[in-house]
Amino acid sequence: MTEELIIAGFGGQGVLSMGKILAYSGIMENKEVTWFPSYGPEMRGGTANVTVILSDTRISSPIVKHFDSAIILNQQSMDKFEKSVKPGGILLYDPNGVIHPPQRTDINIYKVDATVTAVEMGNPKVFNMIVFGSYLKIRPIVTLDNVEKGLQKSLPDRYHNTIPLNLDAIRKGQEIVELVQEV
Amino acid sequence: MSEIKLMKGNEVLAEAAIRCGCDGYFGYPITPQSEVMETLMMRRPWEETGMVVLQAESEVAAINMVYGAAGSGKKAMTSSSSPGISLMAEGISYLAGAELPCLIVNVTRGGPGLGTIQPSQADYFQAVKGGGHGDYKLIVLAPSSVQEMNDFVNLGFELAFKYRNPALILTDGALGQMMEKVELAEFKPRWTSEEINENWGSWATTGKPASRKKNVVSSLVMGSEEMEANNLRFQEKYRMMEEKEVRYEAFQCDDAEFVLVAFGTSSRVCQKSVQIARAKGLKVGLLRPITLFPFPKLVIKELARKVKGFMSVEMSAGQMVEDIKLSVYEAGSNARVNYFGRMGGIIPSPEEVVEALEEKFSWEISYGVKRSY
């Protein structure tokens, strides 16, 4: 099993930390992992993206042209990465940040209303964990137990009291993800 | 049981330094390697092992602090990125001239000049051909994963002390910023004064006892004969490294007709290119030099006698390709040597590498080896 995933959105949406939690959860499953961020003179509100690779075998290139899955959280990222999903691959997006929905007919498309749901849950910061939950529903590559261990490893001690809230958000994301198109 | 962690390459360099018993780190921040000193400052190793961490006023000061610490037989380290390493070049030459062991890390970014902050391999010449003035070589290690970023800190120090020569880890912004699973090394205590005296007392400035002459650390020699003798001794040392310290990894080279040669980040890209090319029916392998000096000449010579061609894949305008050409020439082989690369901070994609291979070797792929040019 090798999963090559791109997570892309605005800086501040929790794109990089979502990737990090997935990577740590992968380690808990004894998988090989690579987390490769776009880095540059970035700032809050600018675009941010990270490539996460999980594999049962040694990982080769951190540079990926065609992804198995893409999580897309704003229009700029949709413009850039919709075309980078492999035929038959997965695209998950939040319609709140996307004006033009994806047009591809050869990929599986899912959406999650995470921005609104995060506000309903009373904490906009869990936005990324709702999206993460939706992704795990579609691609159950790590178990929730290992995600919990991943959270313990990747969050500093002072935030460990937020783990139950994060897990709730993940479960919520698993519930509310909608299938848009299946191929 | 050693610890498994998810860490950035830069963070791992810092952690590995603490764990291998490094005595002092002297540096100056520059993207994309600032996390090295940041991590050290956060870890506060001076409270744990007594290791000194110091932000110098410039790269020039930092490398001269390394010189001072190394002269007393301590494990001293610095890290920087391309423009910063250029500033250190004079000091590195002095370290090599005074035969001092130390570890330098270059987390390369795109150049020339201030360039970009994205990853590059364009400092290959600077790393393996000297970089500063005079006839000297550094031991150059090229990690290709975060795990190797960890492993090569200890290895770099070991080789540096074995040969009394600076060692350099040549890596890039991608490996510095990337997080991967890493198995951290066990803690090794720092050397005691007695251990330093016993092991390095013949040259290090450890305080002169009545029983021996004073040790002088200097790269200045006034007489030409004496300086030439020094140079001959250095050259002998470099030959010894070429004989004993070559490290490389060969990946599907056994039946290969074409061999990609790449180090560091571009070697990771090429691993996937090999898979893509093989799926297309092309017999492609990958040779990954781990030591860039000493360069794995012998294995290239051996491969040159049976393959149709090599393609050096670099994040530069083509620097390592010259060393491959020299090796192929020494083997008296007709194998053709090509180069493909991207510059300015761009990492080539695995697909791009395969396309370049098919284009550059279209004759050999269709007809076999050209016997004359």
Side-chain angles (χ1 to χ4, degrees):
Chain A
M1 191 286 304
T2 297
E3 167 83 348
E4 293 174 328
L5 165 74
I6 177 100
I7 311 173
F10 284 124
Q13 277 180 318
V15 164
L16 299 183
S17 56
M18 193 196 320
K20 190 174 165 186
I21 291 162
L22 174 61
Y24 245 127
S25 311
I27 290 181
M28 296 301 134
E29 303 234 343
N30 279 325
K31 292 189 186 335
E32 298 299 320
V33 301
T34 293
W35 176 98
F36 183 51
S38 66
Y39 79 91
E42 317 275 12
M43 55 184 166
R44 192 183 167 87
T47 58
N49 65 70
V50 60
T51 300
V52 182
I53 307 173
L54 269 70
S55 181
D56 295 324
T57 52
R58 176 172 159 175
I59 293 168
S60 59
S61 178
I63 302 301
V64 177
K65 207 172 167 188
H66 305 292
F67 295 92
D68 298 307
S69 307
I71 299 174
I72 294 182
L73 301 173
N74 66 7
Q75 187 60 46
Q76 288 93 323
S77 303
M78 186 67 84
D79 297 343
K80 198 169 172 191
F81 294 113
E82 181 186 354
K83 57 181 179 293
S84 309
V85 181
K86 278 181 195 166
I90 290 162
L91 190 158
L92 167 68
Y93 73 104
D94 180 347
N96 195 276
V98 171
I99 306 156
H100 308 296
Q103 299 297 310
R104 295 263 306 262
T105 54
D106 61 340
I107 55 174
N108 299 295
I109 300 175
Y110 298 82
K111 66 176 178 180
V112 56
D113 214 347
T115 312
V116 175
T117 310
V119 174
E120 283 168 5
M121 285 182 76
N123 191 342
K125 281 190 198 162
V126 297
F127 165 79
N128 65 340
M129 289 298 98
I130 296 173
V131 176
F132 185 39
S134 301
Y135 169 72
L136 287 179
K137 174 78 177 177
I138 308 162
R139 287 286 287 153
I141 48 172
V142 288
T143 66
L144 213 53
D145 278 355
N146 282 322
V147 171
E148 186 172 353
K149 286 183 198 156
L151 281 165
Q152 279 163 359
K153 284 273 190 180
S154 56
L155 293 177
D157 285 348
R158 63 182 185 279
Y159 292 128
H160 276 192
N161 59 346
T162 68
I163 289 175
L165 176 65
N166 279 298
L167 289 171
D168 280 350
I170 289 170
R171 284 190 205 98
K172 191 76 184 171
Q174 289 178 320
E175 275 166 36
I176 62 170
V177 61
E178 294 170 59
L179 175 68
V180 178
Q181 166 183 298
E182 199 171 21
V183 293
Chain B
M1 170 76 193
S2 45
E3 260 177 278
I4 305 273
K5 288 212 155 190
L6 178 73
M7 287 174 86
K8 279 191 175 192
N10 284 337
E11 296 166 348
V12 160
L13 288 169
E15 187 64 38
I18 300 170
R19 287 174 181 246
C20 82
C22 181
D23 293 298
Y25 171 93
F26 310 91
Y28 188 82
I30 181 171
T31 307
Q33 66 79 55
S34 295
E35 292 91 348
V36 180
M37 190 159 42
E38 232 171 69
T39 306
L40 283 168
M41 289 293 184
M42 264 175 339
R43 282 281 275 104
R44 305 169 78 82
W46 52 90
E47 290 172 358
E48 193 180 330
T49 71
M51 175 186 175
V52 170
V53 183
L54 196 145
Q55 177 173 335
E57 65 270 36
S58 70
E59 286 87 349
V60 176
I63 194 69
N64 282 291
M65 290 173 185
V66 168
Y67 184 103
S72 61
K74 302 275 187 184
K75 278 186 178 175
M77 173 178 175
T78 187
S79 66
S80 190
S81 179
S82 310
I85 296 288
S86 292
L87 283 167
M88 291 181 183
E90 181 201 39
I92 296 172
S93 172
Y94 278 45
L95 279 149
E99 290 188 272
L100 292 180
C102 69
L103 181 65
I104 304 155
V105 184
N106 182 357
V107 185
T108 313
R109 60 192 242 178
L114 269 181
T116 62
I117 59 172
Q118 274 76 26
S120 163
Q121 297 180 325
D123 298 354
Y124 176 89
F125 279 152
Q126 186 192 45
V128 306
K129 308 290 180 191
H133 58 282
D135 278 318
Y136 74 91
K137 299 280 189 189
L138 304 176
I139 301 159
V140 183
L141 300 168
S144 75
S145 63
V146 173
Q147 183 65 53
E148 284 187 342
M149 296 280 262
N150 173 76
D151 302 347
F152 290 179
V153 169
N154 187 52
L155 177 64
F157 272 121
E158 273 179 15
L159 293 173
F161 275 88
K162 181 172 173 187
Y163 291 96
R164 280 184 64 189
N165 201 70
L168 179 117
I169 295 179
L170 185 69
T171 179
D172 64 58
L175 283 159
Q177 296 296 325
M178 182 192 293
M179 284 203 280
E180 289 189 314
K181 183 160 94 173
V182 59
E183 188 177 343
L184 296 171
E186 305 283 343
F187 278 94
K188 283 203 292 192
R190 288 170 53 231
W191 289 325
T192 61
S193 306
E194 291 74 32
E195 284 171 319
I196 292 175
N197 246 326
E198 192 184 314
N199 293 322
W200 322 118
S202 63
W203 55 267
T205 53
T206 54
K208 182 188 130 16
S211 55
R212 65 158 165 81
K213 286 201 304 182
K214 66 179 177 184
N215 288 335
V216 178
V217 173
S218 173
S219 64
L220 176 69
V221 181
M222 297 304 283
S224 317
E225 276 83 14
E226 205 186 328
M227 191 65 222
E228 190 184 44
N230 274 1
N231 267 291
L232 289 169
R233 195 175 68 253
F234 300 165
Q235 293 303 318
E236 182 55 35
K237 192 161 79 172
Y238 306 146
R239 294 296 85 76
M240 194 70 92
M241 293 173 192
E242 286 182 318
E243 200 178 298
K244 299 206 160 141
E245 305 301 344
V246 171
R247 288 165 170 81
Y248 62 87
E249 185 185 18
F251 183 68
Q252 301 201 22
C253 283
D254 288 346
D255 66 337
E257 295 181 341
F258 302 96
V259 172
L260 302 174
V261 188
F263 67 93
T265 296
S266 53
S267 75
R268 293 281 295 267
V269 171
C270 287
Q271 271 174 44
K272 198 165 182 184
S273 306
V274 168
Q275 292 164 8
I276 296 171
R278 293 241 165 203
K280 287 182 159 187
L282 292 168
K283 287 188 176 166
V284 177
L286 165 67
L287 182 77
R288 172 171 83 90
I290 293 171
T291 49
L292 298 178
F293 183 84
F295 190 69
K297 263 188 192 174
L298 269 182
V299 63
I300 291 184
K301 283 186 184 175
E302 281 161 21
L303 286 168
R305 296 192 182 100
K306 57 179 197 181
V307 303
K308 293 176 180 169
F310 295 90
M311 189 166 85
S312 185
V313 181
E314 306 175 53
M315 283 137 63
S316 74
Q319 303 189 7
M320 184 174 67
V321 65
E322 294 189 6
D323 286 328
I324 302 167
K325 280 184 176 168
L326 274 176
S327 309
V328 172
Y329 169 77
E330 284 174 21
S333 156
N334 273 337
R336 210 142 61 88
V337 182
N338 274 315
Y339 143 85
F340 173 73
R342 298 293 301 266
M343 284 166 270
I346 294 181
I347 308 174
S349 74
E351 289 82 359
E352 233 180 318
V353 171
V354 178
E355 280 161 31
L357 179 90
E358 287 175 315
E359 190 200 315
K360 286 170 194 280
F361 287 105
S362 58
W363 173 279
E364 284 85 351
I365 290 169
S366 309
Y367 307 112
V369 182
K370 273 196 239 185
R371 282 299 161 202
S372 60
Y373 292 95

